[in-house]
């Protein structure tokens, strides 16, 4: 899996002052499962060290202005941003991680100013704007927001789900492979968006007898929209209840009650989701419930990332 990342987050000394903002989660944890395509439009445009720049809202369009002499550097930075963009898209990307608050890389967190110097609302940096325009469905997040357990869990789940679809697409799939993919992702999709899950079910059902290419591209669009949604405790709880129903004939009343209690405690934020999930996995193995064992929702990404062990990973 390839992820494009702001070079300063990878420890490269590309910031305006020659420093970096090395993010250990990205390089040391995510780096075990992904390789990185670094980018830094500002170093290409202005070198290092360089005067700092800011975003200025001029008649509802953002300009890049030098903090040193007030020069308008928008065109220069835009050219180099497109150059960096063309470089990273030579890779089959499964996502992008940006450095927060930067006038190039901030994703909704770049400080913008009015022409009179007063603060305006926060905005996307120039490079982020280009990436969003070109790749509206690609998973993108900034490292600042990844400090939040819930956003991090949602983003990593989206990354791996997105990548799994890309792998399917490259494998020259048959309709059966798409149906199997949909089956495997049933609970993950339900935890994201029940309505889109049903739309996807209709697409693979193909009652309209669409050509396969059209079916696959409809499926791709809706799948990528679904996985971009954030999960919620309520939706996760419904999925957990649904999964627990698979053992209703096997479990004793005490075992059923215990599992139900764990789901309730998760819903009340007393225990993290990993608690009821581990119990469900245990029963799925014990009773050889292959339908559940194959579900992406149980292991949406490598468990070593341990993102579901935090009480704060669900909202
Ligand atoms: S935030 Fe973006 S532009 Fe700024 S140093 Fe990091 S990679 Fe370069």
């Amino acid at each position: 899996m390839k992820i494009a990342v702001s070079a300063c987050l990878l420890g490269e000394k590309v910031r305006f002052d020659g420093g970096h903002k090395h993010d250990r989660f990205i390089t040391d944890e995510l780096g075990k499962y992904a390789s990185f395509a670094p980018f830094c439009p500002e170093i290409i445009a202005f070198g290092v060290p360089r005067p700092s720049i800011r975003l200025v809202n001029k008649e509802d369009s953002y300009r890049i202005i030098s903090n040193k002499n007030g020069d308008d550097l928008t065109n220069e930075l835009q050219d180099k941003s497109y150059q960096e963009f063309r470089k990273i898209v030579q890779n089959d990307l499964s996502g992008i991680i940006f450095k927060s608050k930067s006038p190039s890389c901030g994703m909704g967190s770049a400080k913008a100013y009015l022409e009179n110097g007063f603060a305006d609302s926060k905005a996307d940096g120039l490079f982020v704007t280009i990436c969003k325009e070109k790749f509206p469905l690609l998973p993108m997040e900034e490292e600042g927001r990844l400090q939040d357990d819930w956003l991090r869990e949602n983003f990593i789940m989206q990354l791996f789900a997105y990548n799994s679809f890309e792998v399917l697409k490259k494998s020259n799939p048959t309709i059966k492979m798409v149906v199997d993919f949909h089956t495997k992702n049933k609970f993950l999709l339900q935890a994201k968006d029940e309505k889109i899950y049903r739309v996807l079910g209709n697409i693979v059902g193909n009652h309209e007898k669409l050509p396969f290419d059209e079916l696959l591209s409809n499926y791709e669009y809706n799948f990528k929209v679904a996985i971009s949604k954030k999960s919620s405790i309520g939706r996760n709880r419904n999925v957990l209840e649904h999964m627990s129903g698979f053992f209703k004939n096997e479990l004793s009343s005490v075992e059923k009650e215990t599992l139900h209690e764990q789901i309730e405690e998760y819903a009340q934020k007393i225990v993290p989701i990993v608690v009821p999930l581990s119990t469900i996995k245990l029963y799925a193995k014990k009773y050889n419930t292959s339908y559940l064992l194959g579900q992406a929702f149980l292991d949406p990404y490598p468990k070593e990332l341990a993102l579901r062990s935090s009480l704060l990973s669900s909202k």
Side-chain angles (χ1 to χ4, degrees), residues 24 32 40 89 103 115-117 129 143 148 155 161 163 178 193 220 266 270 288 291-292 296 300-301 305:
R24 292 277 170 199
K32 291 175 190 158
C40 177
V89 296
E115 285 183 82
N116 61 13
T129 303
E143 114 292 351
D148 178 296
F155 177 66
N163 186 58
V178 180
D193 192 309
E220 174 175 10
Y266 161 69
I270 298 168
N288 200 19
Y291 185 82
L292 283 190
Y301 41 75
L305 289 169

Side-chain angles (χ1 to χ4, degrees), residues 55-57 112-121:
L55 269 184
V56 174
N57 186 348
Y113 295 85
L114 299 170
E115 285 183 82
N116 61 13
F118 284 112
D120 192 21
S121 53

Side-chain angles (χ1 to χ4, degrees), residues 45-189:
F46 311 122
V48 70
R50 56 185 177 271
S52 59
I53 51 176
R54 66 182 188 278
L55 269 184
V56 174
N57 186 348
K58 273 192 183 174
E59 294 158 10
D60 285 338
S61 108
Y62 289 107
R63 310 295 300 175
I64 294 287
I65 303 296
S66 164
N67 281 331
K68 187 177 170 194
N69 52 20
D71 284 354
D72 188 326
L73 304 172
T74 312
N75 293 344
E76 250 166 302
L77 187 58
Q78 208 151 33
D79 280 357
K80 299 303 177 192
S81 294
Y82 276 111
Q83 189 179 315
E84 278 297 72
F85 179 78
R86 286 192 294 275
K87 184 186 85 183
I88 60 169
V89 296
Q90 284 169 10
N91 303 280
D92 286 334
L93 295 179
S94 290
I96 309 182
I97 302 177
F98 299 102
K99 167 75 187 75
S100 58
K101 297 181 185 166
S102 142
S104 291
C105 297
M107 195 172 151
S109 65
K111 269 191 194 161
Y113 295 85
L114 299 170
E115 285 183 82
N116 61 13
F118 284 112
D120 192 21
S121 53
K122 293 192 174 155
D124 285 335
L126 198 148
F127 189 68
V128 174
T129 303
I130 293 172
C131 293
K132 278 187 172 176
E133 261 171 34
K134 303 280 182 193
F135 284 128
L137 293 176
L138 187 68
M140 292 180 203
E141 196 45 280
E142 56 168 34
E143 114 292 351
R145 283 160 51 90
L146 289 179
Q147 305 307 315
D148 178 296
D149 289 353
W150 180 63
L151 292 174
R152 179 185 287 202
E153 207 269 341
N154 272 279
F155 177 66
I156 299 298
M157 189 186 281
Q158 186 190 3
L159 266 184
F160 279 85
Y162 187 99
N163 186 58
S164 70
F165 185 82
E166 293 301 299
V167 171
L168 173 77
K169 206 165 66 172
K170 273 195 215 122
S171 66
N172 199 16
T174 59
I175 180 69
K176 179 176 182 312
M177 288 161 76
V178 180
V179 170
D180 289 348
F181 180 87
H182 182 64
T183 305
K184 181 183 166 69
N185 283 286
K186 171 189 162 94
F187 289 119
L188 186 146
L189 290 165

Side-chain angles (χ1 to χ4, degrees), residues 5-9 14-16 19 39-43 50 98-100 102-106:
V5 183
S6 291
C8 54
L9 294 174
V14 292
R15 279 170 59 84
F16 70 99
F39 57 84
C40 177
E42 288 182 26
I43 196 172
R50 56 185 177 271
F98 299 102
K99 167 75 187 75
S100 58
S102 142
S104 291
C105 297

Side-chain angles (χ1 to χ4, degrees), residues 149 271-274 301 303 305-313:
D149 289 353
V271 299
I273 193 168
V274 72
Y301 41 75
K303 60 177 178 296
L305 289 169
L307 303 175
R308 286 165 148 182
S309 312
S310 162
L311 269 183
L312 303 174
S313 66

